[in-house]
Amino acid sequence: MAECLFREQGYDATTVDHIAERAGISQRTFFRYAGTKEDLVLSDFERQGERMVDVLRSRPATENPWTSLRHAFEVVVASRGEQSDRDRAKLMYSIIESSPALRAAYLDRMDLIQRGLVDVLLDRPTGTDNRVVTRALVGAAFAALNAVIETCDPDSNGPDTFAADLDHVLAQLEPTSTRI
Amino acid sequence: MAECLFREQGYDATTVDHIAERAGISQRTFFRYAGTKEDLVLSDFERQGERMVDVLRSRPATENPWTSLRHAFEVVVASRGEQSDRDRAKLMYSIIESSPALRAAYLDRMDLIQRGLVDVLLDRPTGTDNRVVTRALVGAAFAALNAVIETCDPDSNGPDTFAADLDHVLAQLEPTSTRI
DNA sequence: CGCATCTTTGGCAGTCACTGTCAGCTGTGA
DNA sequence: TCACAGCTGACAGTGACTGCCAAAGATGCG
């Protein structure tokens, strides 16, 4: 819906009034449902984040955290299965990148997701209760994920290059002391 | 100046009009100089980022990137030398944490700094020109830095616990293939 | 069906950050 | 003293967002 407008005239140039009019509702109703103009773009990521937390919680507590995080990232990999999904993701990221405020909000959501994952890892009976290192570990894994998302060649992308790239970068980045 | 107001009544509750009035200038002049309300808080970090890029560029191109980044982070360590510096940093981070929008903007600046560091590393004649992995590496190092900043016990902080903590987390997080 | 009640919706006014424009003031050099 | 450049402030406007209230619609019950 609104994505079409964003794609056509850009995120910043599209006013909420315009979106509401196109949707056939009042501006007031728009804000009641969407919460925020940013949420139109970012709510998808938020939902992905929640699923990542769920997946992480479902992993065995004795599993290597790095491996568990890789499984959580499967949520993102899965969201890029079809070509149409990949096109949509590409569009979303180009919209996000087009507006500084939106990109900032996106990074904030990512940060919140990371905090959620950290809490899950700290809840494990095994493993350290070292918040700092766990926070850093999750941040590092996300750095790998975001690097792949960000730098992933947009076009001519084979079906599952994404998963392979992610695995490659995660392997390169795996901490020396993988068992923290 | 404005920090006092932020400390006293909170960031969001302090309007630009209020700040301008306290500074004895018009709102228009405020915006001409400060650019943005957020910049009042974040310009310090921006300057730190530039210095980090300078430091990284001054390191030998053959140096292990992880080590080079640690040297760049010395900028942050140095900015916490005195107790008064640490108090100020604590205040700044509490202000940032108090406003979602401000935290988002902070994360955005951090991201921009990382991109700057990535470009420096990619300019090195030695080393790979693998953007994805380099991006992830810098992100991982920043994850360590931010984890320490974020989780650093605010009070009863010995003089240079910060540097020690940072070294510890960076060591734990150092990628398996430290030489990428 | 009629009525009461709850929810949904829209309009209105207001706040706050931010911008463009323009007119007035200030300082500087000729 | 005059001309010109730069700084400053007032003003009006935009765009996201909120609180408030009244109208409209849906729902339940006798």
Side-chain angles (χ1 to χ4, degrees):
Chain A
M1 275 274 155
E3 293 148 29
C4 302
L5 293 174
F6 293 153
R7 177 158 32 90
E8 287 162 18
Q9 25 179 309
Y11 177 81
D12 286 328
T14 306
T15 71
V16 170
D17 280 346
H18 196 172
I19 300 170
E21 186 192 7
R22 181 68 73 92
I25 58 176
S26 72
Q27 195 215 51
R28 196 66 189 80
T29 304
F30 168 87
F31 279 114
R32 225 166 337 231
Y33 282 82
T36 286
K37 187 181 167 189
E38 288 166 354
D39 284 344
L40 283 182
V41 179
L42 300 181
S43 59
D44 278 9
F45 296 97
E46 213 139 340
R47 248 171 288 128
Q48 267 193 22
E50 283 161 24
R51 266 184 291 151
M52 285 171 58
V53 170
D54 289 342
V55 170
L56 184 63
R57 199 175 283 123
S58 77
R59 301 300 307 172
T62 55
E63 188 177 53
N64 179 336
W66 197 254
T67 308
S68 297
L69 288 168
R70 172 62 183 86
H71 281 99
F73 291 170
E74 197 59 33
V75 169
V76 180
V77 173
S79 79
R80 295 175 169 246
E82 310 280 325
Q83 178 62 42
S84 60
D85 298 333
R86 258 168 278 144
D87 289 342
R88 185 182 157 81
K90 196 176 127 189
L91 170 64
M92 288 311 206
Y93 281 102
S94 76
I95 293 174
I96 289 174
E97 208 62 28
S98 77
S99 161
L102 189 55
R103 195 185 51 199
Y106 168 78
L107 292 171
D108 193 50
R109 308 296 161 104
M110 288 294 129
D111 198 68
L112 288 178
I113 295 170
Q114 288 177 49
R115 293 179 193 212
L117 296 173
V118 167
D119 289 339
V120 172
L121 287 180
L122 288 177
D123 260 1
R124 289 182 169 185
T126 63
T128 62
D129 52 354
N130 189 335
R131 171 152 236 123
V132 195
V133 174
T134 305
R135 182 74 180 85
L137 187 78
V138 172
F142 258 75
L145 177 64
N146 279 324
V148 175
I149 289 176
E150 197 178 300
T151 325
C152 206
D153 32 16
D155 301 306
S156 69
N157 213 358
D160 39 19
T161 312
F162 185 81
D165 286 356
L166 180 58
D167 282 330
H168 174 243
V169 178
L170 278 174
Q172 294 265 321
L173 222 65
E174 183 165 7
T176 325
S177 53
T178 188
R179 183 110 220 74
I180 294 178
Chain B
M1 273 273 158
E3 293 148 31
C4 302
L5 292 174
F6 293 153
R7 177 158 30 91
E8 287 161 18
Q9 24 178 305
Y11 177 81
D12 286 327
T14 306
T15 71
V16 169
D17 280 346
H18 195 173
I19 300 170
E21 185 192 7
R22 181 66 74 90
I25 59 176
S26 74
Q27 196 215 49
R28 196 67 189 81
T29 304
F30 169 87
F31 279 114
R32 224 161 345 227
Y33 281 83
T36 286
K37 186 181 168 190
E38 287 165 355
D39 284 345
L40 283 182
V41 180
L42 300 181
S43 60
D44 278 9
F45 297 96
E46 213 139 340
R47 248 172 286 129
Q48 268 192 22
E50 284 161 23
R51 266 184 290 152
M52 284 171 57
V53 170
D54 289 342
V55 170
L56 185 64
R57 198 174 283 124
S58 76
R59 302 298 309 172
T62 56
E63 188 178 51
N64 178 337
W66 198 254
T67 309
S68 297
L69 288 168
R70 171 61 183 87
H71 280 99
F73 291 170
E74 198 59 33
V75 169
V76 181
V77 173
S79 79
R80 294 174 170 247
E82 310 279 325
Q83 179 62 43
S84 60
D85 297 334
R86 257 168 280 145
D87 289 342
R88 183 181 158 81
K90 196 175 128 189
L91 170 64
M92 287 311 204
Y93 281 102
S94 76
I95 293 174
I96 289 173
E97 208 62 27
S98 76
S99 162
L102 188 56
R103 195 185 52 201
Y106 168 77
L107 291 171
D108 193 49
R109 310 296 161 106
M110 288 294 129
D111 199 67
L112 289 178
I113 295 171
Q114 288 176 49
R115 294 180 192 211
L117 296 173
V118 167
D119 288 338
V120 173
L121 287 179
L122 288 177
D123 260 0
R124 289 183 169 185
T126 63
T128 62
D129 52 354
N130 188 334
R131 170 152 237 125
V132 196
V133 174
T134 304
R135 182 73 181 84
L137 187 79
V138 172
F142 259 74
L145 177 64
N146 280 324
V148 174
I149 289 175
E150 196 177 300
T151 325
C152 204
D153 32 17
D155 302 305
S156 69
N157 213 358
D160 39 19
T161 311
F162 186 82
D165 286 356
L166 181 58
D167 283 330
H168 175 241
V169 178
L170 279 174
Q172 294 264 322
L173 222 64
E174 183 165 7
T176 327
S177 53
T178 189
R179 184 107 220 74
I180 294 181

